[in-house]
Amino acid sequence: MTKSFYRIGQIVPSSNVTMETEIPAMLAARQLVRPERFLFHSSRMRMKTVSKDELAAMDGESDRCALELSDARVDVMGYACLVAIMAMGLGYHRRSEARLHERTVENGAPTPIVTSAGALVEGLRVIGARKIVLVAPYMKPLTNLVVEYIAAEGYDVIDHVALEIPDNLDVAAHDPARLPEIVMGLNHADADAIVLSACVQMPSLPAVAKVEAMTGKPVVTAAIATTYAMLKALGLEPVAPGAGALLSGAY
């Protein structure tokens, strides 16, 4: 029997206001070209300042969130904080995804788990990128952890910028119209792809098409990659108009 709708569960930092905006926007655009429909449900982990200690404390709440969302029998869950995962050590997205899935199994509602960290790593693999440039809103020490994490997954981060925005609500307030100029200041000529936002809180969707047109490179963001991974986990075609190369239908 064909499902009429899918329930999307999101494990979200308490101060995140973008993940529940950009992912629904992409899936709403998809609904214009494909029949599936989506409903959205969230559980929140407390976090206000993007610091390593606060991120680690927040990650400790993710098991509770997975249980809460599995009570609602969602069809897939997305862990919506890339840096929280990457700050916990190399390869941590695999351990996180396995542990949170186990919580849903224990609750009698086995659910596929997607982390934005794992989704970004996989999304770059899907488009065949090896050399990338990256824009991150974090302070330099956290941005360096992100670069090291991605490099350990087999990618060459040939240039990057840390915007050094410590408050998470200020990250959400960053104007995506500034991103094309920021990218043009990076050494992207030899890059295979551009990570326009290595953060699901920093808005980027309105700038994706412009940056792809300006650079001639595929553009990926943490939110785009998470949407792709969720659709794949649901067994649905990973397509969303206006959301860059990864969701163009080419992969």
Side-chain angles (χ1 to χ4, degrees):
M1 184 176 70
T2 303
K3 288 174 68 74
S4 58
F5 63 85
Y6 293 84
R7 294 190 182 277
I8 306 294
Q10 299 200 78
I11 300 172
V12 185
S14 59
S15 52
N16 187 298
V17 295
T18 305
M19 193 69 162
E20 294 152 313
T21 303
E22 290 201 341
I23 286 184
M26 284 182 268
L27 293 178
R30 188 186 187 278
Q31 290 178 171
L32 300 175
V33 296
R34 295 295 185 275
E36 295 84 16
R37 297 296 178 260
F38 304 93
L39 301 174
F40 300 91
H41 311 276
S42 298
S43 181
R44 307 185 90 76
M45 313 170 284
R46 192 80 194 279
M47 188 270 280
K48 294 173 68 177
T49 302
V50 192
S51 66
K52 198 171 189 301
D53 289 345
E54 205 163 322
L55 290 168
M58 182 194 74
D59 183 66
E61 297 186 43
S62 60
D63 290 63
R64 169 185 56 77
C65 294
L67 281 171
E68 290 176 357
L69 289 169
S70 65
D71 285 345
R73 298 305 192 260
V74 297
D75 296 297
V76 66
M77 292 184 204
Y79 186 123
C81 189
L82 178 141
V83 71
I85 294 291
M86 292 192 177
M88 294 291 286
L90 300 180
Y92 181 70
H93 69 275
R94 297 178 182 87
R95 300 194 296 278
S96 173
E97 290 165 7
R99 189 187 73 248
L100 296 179
H101 176 69
E102 185 58 29
R103 297 293 85 78
T104 70
V105 171
E106 293 167 356
N107 200 30
T111 310
I113 307 292
V114 170
T115 63
S116 54
L120 180 61
V121 166
E122 176 63 12
L124 292 170
R125 185 197 65 78
V126 168
I127 64 174
R130 303 313 305 173
K131 296 186 290 186
I132 65 169
V133 298
L134 176 148
V135 181
Y138 317 120
M139 304 302 285
K140 287 181 180 178
L142 282 177
T143 301
N144 289 340
L145 288 178
V146 169
V147 169
E148 290 165 9
Y149 193 103
I150 293 172
E153 294 290 329
Y155 301 97
D156 183 7
V157 184
I158 61 176
D159 202 2
H160 70 277
V161 61
L163 301 182
E164 298 198 274
I165 308 172
D167 184 272
N168 207 35
L169 284 176
D170 290 341
V171 172
H174 186 267
D175 186 355
R178 293 187 57 214
L179 290 172
E181 181 181 357
I182 290 168
V183 169
M184 295 312 288
L186 293 173
N187 181 21
H188 60 76
D190 293 329
D192 301 315
I194 294 165
V195 178
L196 189 60
S197 177
C199 174
V200 292
Q201 173 76 326
M202 186 171 72
S204 56
L205 191 58
V208 169
K210 182 173 183 178
V211 174
E212 287 193 331
M214 288 171 55
T215 63
K217 313 281 185 180
V219 168
V220 179
T221 73
I224 287 171
T226 302
T227 302
Y228 178 93
M230 284 179 164
L231 289 169
K232 292 292 284 185
L234 292 171
L236 301 177
E237 187 180 3
V239 171
L246 186 60
L247 287 170
S248 67
Y251 302 98

